[in-house]
Amino acid sequence: MSTSREPVGVIGTGYVGLVTAAGFAELGSDVWCVDIDAAKVERLRAGEAPIYEPGLEQLLERNAGRLHFSTELAGALEHARLLFVAVGTPPTHSGDADLSAVHAVVDAIPAAEDRALVMKSTVPCGTGATLQRVFDEQGKGALAYVSCPEFLKEGSALEDFLEPDRVVVGDDGGWAGDAVVELYAPLGAPLVRTDVASAEMVKLASNAFLATKISFINEIANVCEETGADVVEVARGMGLDARIGSKFLQAGIGFGGSCFPKDVDALKQLAGNSGYHFQLLTSVIEVNELQKRRVIGKLQKHLGSLARKRVALLGLAFKPETDDMREASSLVLSARLNADGAIVSAYDPVAEEQARRLVSGITFADSALAAVEGADAVVLVTEWKEFLELDFSRVAEAMAGNLLIDGRNALDPRRVREAGLLYEGVGRGSVAAPGGAAGVAGAHAATVAPEHADARTVEAT
Ligand SMILES: NC(=O)c1ccc[n+]([C@@H]2O[C@H](COP(=O)([O-])OP(=O)(O)OC[C@H]3O[C@@H](n4cnc5c(N)ncnc54)[C@H](O)[C@@H]3O)[C@@H](O)[C@H]2O)c1
């Protein structure tokens, strides 16, 4: 199928690359996708989405005629001027971003005057300048370079691509930046056209700020547990202040995912490398790590030693509507439970396949009710919609004990308690228990507003 829109190449077809490819195809471009993972390319050619992302499979199918998948760069080089790079930049042991996949792509791209490398991967500030020096050293100085960081969130990635809050394009003002701006123009999003280093920093600073907001409200939640306040009420009151806003202000058992932990660490490390100690981000990371472990303390408070206790985890993915298990809180939680000798069962609607590769020592159940069968305690780890709609009377009947820890403050405590379960959320010290008794962690009785039933947690990317 031919099109008047600029054809593009996308190198790396993971969460970002595939969504970017499907999005540009939807806007009318032919997209030449390249990935070194032959099995992934095979699945994509067969019309299968190798990741779970709502609406992705349908979008790939609808635009199948415009999407081309290969393990070779040749097609992208032949047909596209703009080569979007969306390879992984995972953390190294030092906390720096591992740029080896980015460098592999740079090394593979031949010299050409009318080609540009457009960086979608999240890279440290200064990477663009380094890569341009590498181009020069390799005799490829005519290649253009554009930083175009990606802000999509897994679970709503297509929507985020098609209706972005902003598009950031960092370049030296040449043809390539203009062409990228043109590609995104139909979306009508506010444009931030800036220099490469600033574009790179916009991405890192945005993720670091959102992570800071989450760690902040988690610390407020921990103080609420000591003082009898309800963090859901506190966040509601704070969030209505337009200067603060209600997003990323939901307390829970910590942020995870492939972006926040690594990007916060990478920015802290980047600052450290240039001689600046980023005190605030050091705390944000530490608070998050401790937050994941607080569930263990709550379980011990009610069950004593966890040895041979049966604990069911509802949800494993780092957030709902994704199968991504990278840095998920469930990884730390299940490992800690195993270390304490607990018998762990778990159910996740879509992340089991990914989880099996990363988690050992737990039993995977086929449904939420099967997971809670015989459990002494249940922990809501990921707020999938189906868990919010559970019949808690049936949960109570299936369990051996009665403790439910709502790690995402996503459930209606009244509904859980009416089913005969002992509810404990995060920072909900004053949420009333049946008969007017205070919640387990607090002293003051209060009524739970119905809107709390819909409280959602981490909206991390
Ligand atoms: N996942 C998100 O929500 C998100 C959001 C914004 C930005 N980002 C950033 O985007 C980048 C990609 O993230 P992701 O989650 O899509 O990663 P991913 O691991 O899902 O996908 C990366 C893909 O790149 C492929 N790849 C690796 N080396 C390659 C090479 N030399 N040539 C071709 N393909 C290669 C891998 O096989 C894989 O399919 C990262 O820098 C990440 O920080 C991610």
Side-chain angles (χ1 to χ4, degrees), residues 255-434:
F255 58 80
S258 66
C259 291
F260 280 8
K262 106 174 150 62
D263 293 350
V264 174
D265 222 9
L267 180 51
K268 181 193 140 190
Q269 194 58 38
L270 177 71
N273 294 346
S274 48
Y276 180 72
H277 177 61
F278 208 141
Q279 181 71 44
L280 182 59
L281 291 188
T282 306
S283 300
V284 167
I285 294 164
E286 191 186 355
V287 167
N288 195 50
E289 281 312 307
L290 293 174
Q291 199 69 14
K292 293 179 190 172
R293 289 161 169 79
R294 279 179 71 87
V295 174
I296 300 293
K298 289 181 178 176
L299 287 167
Q300 286 166 336
K301 184 174 74 180
H302 294 282
L303 304 178
S305 163
L306 298 183
R308 310 305 297 161
K309 296 283 167 32
R310 292 183 178 273
V311 180
L313 305 181
L314 294 184
L316 292 166
F318 87 94
K319 62 184 260 184
E321 299 298 332
T322 183
D323 59 350
D324 200 341
M325 283 292 299
R326 290 177 285 187
E327 301 292 329
S329 295
S330 64
L331 296 173
V332 171
L333 193 52
S334 57
R336 281 289 292 105
L337 287 168
N338 272 325
D340 280 9
I343 301 164
V344 186
S345 60
Y347 167 70
D348 189 287
V350 302
E352 181 180 331
E353 189 187 328
Q354 303 267 5
R356 280 186 183 275
R357 296 191 196 129
L358 298 169
V359 186
S360 58
I362 72 174
T363 308
F364 292 94
D366 288 339
S367 68
L369 282 177
V372 305
E373 188 71 44
D376 296 298
V378 171
V379 183
L380 180 82
V381 178
T382 315
E383 66 277 34
W384 284 96
K385 192 160 174 269
E386 70 170 80
F387 300 149
L388 312 188
E389 292 166 354
L390 271 174
D391 178 344
F392 287 100
S393 311
R394 293 187 64 194
V395 172
E397 275 164 30
M399 289 175 67
N402 70 344
L403 175 61
L404 188 147
I405 295 182
D406 179 1
R408 299 297 181 185
N409 286 350
L411 304 173
D412 180 350
R414 261 189 316 195
R415 208 157 70 77
V416 173
R417 288 187 176 127
E418 276 163 15
L421 293 168
L422 187 59
Y423 175 91
E424 178 144 1
V426 178
R428 312 207 61 189
S430 70
V431 172

Side-chain angles (χ1 to χ4, degrees), residues 14-16 35-36 40 87 89 122 150 154 258-259 262 326:
Y15 288 89
V16 168
D35 203 293
I36 47 168
K40 191 178 266 191
V87 298
T89 49
T122 304
E150 182 53 59
E154 288 173 24
S258 66
C259 291
K262 106 174 150 62
R326 290 177 285 187

Side-chain angles (χ1 to χ4, degrees), residues 76-98:
L77 291 171
E78 184 188 341
H79 296 281
R81 298 189 300 168
L82 300 176
L83 303 167
F84 285 81
V85 179
V87 298
T89 49
T92 59
H93 293 300
S94 63
D96 293 280
D98 177 356

Side-chain angles (χ1 to χ4, degrees), residues 233-247 249 451:
E233 290 298 298
V234 175
R236 189 158 66 102
M238 288 171 66
L240 287 169
D241 185 327
R243 294 169 303 174
I244 298 173
S246 59
K247 291 188 173 166
L249 213 53
E451 63 266 30

Side-chain angles (χ1 to χ4, degrees), residues 12-13 33-48 50 69-72:
T13 55
C33 304
V34 187
D35 203 293
I36 47 168
D37 184 338
K40 191 178 266 191
V41 169
E42 222 27 71
R43 288 176 74 178
L44 285 163
R45 279 181 168 162
E48 219 184 295
F69 298 101
S70 175
T71 53
E72 304 293 329

